[in-house]
Amino acid sequence: MSRSTPEKDDGEGIRLAKRVAAMAGVSRREAELLIENGAVRVDGVQQMLPQSRVLPRQQVEIEAGARPQPILPVTLLLYKPAGMPTDKAHSLLVAANHHEPERAGQRFLPAHAKGQQCMTPLETGASGLVAYTQEFRIERKLHEDAGILEHEVMVDVAGPVSPEVLARLERSPARVSIGRQSDEQTGLRFALKGAQPGQIAHICDNVGLRILAMRRIRIGRVPLAGLQPGQWRYLAPQERF
């Protein structure tokens, strides 16, 4: 582990990237990468902003064996809560909302949340799986296959659904089945290729059904996979939409 030695405190401090570059004997950009990769601590606290300033008396440490490697682009899967607009949901992509079981094996870096493109928007009133990506191949896949990618959505509607109404639903572009039913409400499963925001609501409205809740649980072959509302996880290397 590399450490800086205490210097005379001039009260001003310098950019952390400059301090790390001098300590490690690397370029300023390489120092920025070390910081952005979470390999630098100031007074024992991890620092990830190269532009932050440090005082000469502060101790700066560089993780042993750390290399200034570029941060690879990632795809993030979010459980958007109902009532939150998709364009506001990006604010949930922070370390505190990272799915707990995944944290031990996957370090979240602030750069992972920057420049994320939402490829699968949801209605404000709906909840469920939303995909954000920095990866060109994923962005292209979701764009080019948008019309054939199947979305699975659980829809709760008021009251029972009669066989006649179910038959009418089955003549829509979606595959529809009943998961549970009571006098108060019915749980429907919709599987719809190329689903667009508002499309399922339109299908239900056409047959006189009032939607109580909607939750998307799958996009293509990628499931919501145990997330709670507001939580997110990384798209695993073996997962494919």
Side-chain angles (χ1 to χ4, degrees):
M1 177 181 293
S2 300
R3 297 190 180 194
S4 64
T5 56
E7 305 168 30
K8 184 179 178 181
D9 188 350
D10 61 7
E12 295 294 331
I14 60 172
R15 281 172 55 93
L16 179 58
K18 182 177 180 180
R19 180 87 162 263
V20 170
M23 289 172 57
V26 298
S27 69
R28 188 72 62 85
R29 178 54 188 151
E30 288 174 322
E32 291 174 348
L33 287 173
L34 284 170
I35 297 165
E36 290 170 354
N37 275 286
V40 175
R41 292 181 178 272
V42 176
D43 292 338
V45 179
Q46 187 180 60
Q47 298 292 324
M48 305 183 78
L49 298 176
Q51 69 272 24
S52 61
R53 302 186 74 81
V54 291
L55 296 170
R57 68 173 179 270
Q58 291 183 287
Q59 186 180 74
V60 178
E61 300 171 286
I62 303 173
E63 184 178 306
R67 295 183 178 183
Q69 298 173 328
I71 298 173
L72 298 177
V74 295
T75 296
L76 307 181
L77 305 171
L78 171 71
Y79 187 158
K80 186 188 84 65
M84 174 174 276
T86 298
D87 60 0
K88 303 292 185 183
H90 181 276
S91 64
L92 297 173
L93 302 178
V94 296
N97 295 330
H98 188 187
H99 188 43
E100 186 73 32
E102 190 179 57
R103 289 185 190 179
Q106 177 73 57
R107 175 190 286 175
F108 172 71
L109 304 175
H112 289 165
K114 293 180 180 178
Q116 286 285 354
Q117 298 293 317
C118 178
M119 302 303 299
T120 56
L122 274 174
E123 300 95 328
T124 297
S127 68
L129 184 61
V130 176
Y132 291 87
T133 191
Q134 299 169 331
E135 301 180 80
F136 175 72
R137 65 179 183 85
I138 298 293
E139 183 177 350
R140 184 176 62 183
K141 166 74 174 177
L142 293 175
H143 177 72
E144 292 181 350
D145 291 354
I148 60 174
L149 203 62
E150 187 173 77
H151 298 237
E152 185 173 353
V153 183
M154 307 305 293
V155 182
D156 291 337
V157 298
V161 174
S162 69
E164 293 77 18
V165 169
L166 183 61
R168 291 175 63 191
L169 286 172
E170 290 172 346
R171 291 196 291 270
S172 75
R175 292 186 290 113
V176 185
S177 60
I178 294 177
R180 65 186 188 283
Q181 186 160 229
S182 69
D183 291 338
E184 289 75 32
Q185 68 179 50
T186 300
L188 298 172
R189 173 191 171 275
F190 280 73
L192 178 62
K193 291 184 178 180
Q196 296 294 318
Q199 188 174 5
I200 290 177
H202 180 69
I203 292 171
C204 290
D205 187 60
N206 281 344
V207 297
L209 295 176
R210 180 168 63 89
I211 292 177
L212 303 175
M214 290 177 54
R215 179 168 58 101
R216 181 163 60 195
I217 62 172
R218 178 175 58 84
I219 301 171
R221 291 171 287 179
V222 175
L224 196 55
L227 296 176
Q228 297 299 314
Q231 290 185 333
W232 61 268
R233 67 178 181 88
Y234 289 93
L235 180 73
Q238 72 275 10
E239 289 185 291
R240 299 289 183 272
F241 284 100

